């Protein structure tokens, strides 16, 4: 009986990898919807993959189900979801008018996402950096969301990013650089809410849900713009420290 138990796994132990496969399926299905021209659904699937990213790792730690194959599977899934799928989506959505230049920006973005994930893999077992928890460079899910910012603004009707393919390509290049940079960027693990202000967070959650069902693309654009503001603050802080 003990040998049979060692040779089998409970579904609970497989749950983290199942979440990873769910995210990977969302990223691959996003590419499928790009091919038929449903860019809105494709973007939503990438957003979904980003929303559940990290859940697999959390489950693995809580369930004591971490494994080497789970870590590698998560990294490969992230490359598809946040490197390949956003690149193909943006290319077909706005960059395909200029095949050579537009595709070059897609290659740069996907390559930098791959390098970002490779750097994370080799430093996975290193001790955490000093100070408050933070990322080194923009993480791949954040890079994917930033890459889709012009699309979000277009879907809401504020701009038409498809009319400025070269500018969109430059934005993709900037996001790619931020992913492989050594700039310390904000991490959710460092965020703390004072007890007396916790009610504001709960009210804010209600506002987010309301916008999600009524002004979804506006919500995505606001989240992205807030993240951009946070990155600018991190960059300014990093440059000040280097000058000291």
């Amino acid at each position: 009986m003990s040998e049979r138990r060692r040779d089998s796994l409970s579904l609970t132990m497989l749950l983290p990898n199942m979440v990873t496969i769910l995210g990977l399926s969302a990223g691959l299905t996003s590419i499928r919807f790009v091919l038929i021209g449903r860019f809105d659904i494709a973007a939503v699937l990438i957003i979904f993959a980003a929303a559940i990213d990290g859940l697999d790792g959390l489950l693995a730690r809580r369930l004591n189900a971490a494994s080497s194959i789970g870590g590698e599977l998560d990294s490969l899934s992230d490359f598809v979801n946040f490197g390949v799928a956003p690149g193909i989506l943006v290319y077909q959505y706005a960059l395909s008018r200029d095949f050579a230049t537009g595709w070059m920006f897609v290659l740069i973005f996907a390559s930098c996402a791959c390098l970002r994930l490779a750097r994370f893999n080799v430093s996975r077992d290193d001790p955490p950096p000093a100070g408050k928890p933070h990322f080194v460079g923009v993480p791949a899910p954040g890079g994917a969301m930033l890459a889709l910012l012009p699309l979000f603004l277009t879907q809401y009707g504020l701009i038409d990013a498809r009319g400025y393919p070269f500018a969109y390509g430059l934005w993709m290049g900037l996001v790619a650089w931020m992913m492989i940079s050594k700039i310390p960027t904000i991490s959710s693990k460092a965020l703390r809410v004072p007890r007396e202000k916790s009610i504001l967070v709960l009210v804010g959650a209600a506002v987010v849900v309301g916008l999600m069902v009524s002004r979804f693309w506006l919500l995505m654009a606001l989240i992205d713009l807030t993240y951009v503001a946070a990155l600018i603050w991190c960059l300014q802080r990093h440059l000040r420290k280097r000058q000291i």
Side-chain angles (χ1 to χ4, degrees), residues 19 22-23 25-27 42-53 82 145 216:
V19 173
L22 176 62
S25 299
V44 168
L45 287 169
I46 294 175
I47 294 168
F48 172 76
I52 67 171
D53 182 67
F82 311 126
M145 293 299 97
F216 179 76

Side-chain angles (χ1 to χ4, degrees), residues 51 74 77 84 101-102 118 154 164 181-182 192 217 227:
D74 180 62
S77 173
V84 177
T101 306
T154 302
Y164 307 94
S181 71
K182 296 294 184 69
R192 293 291 185 271
W217 299 114
Y227 189 45

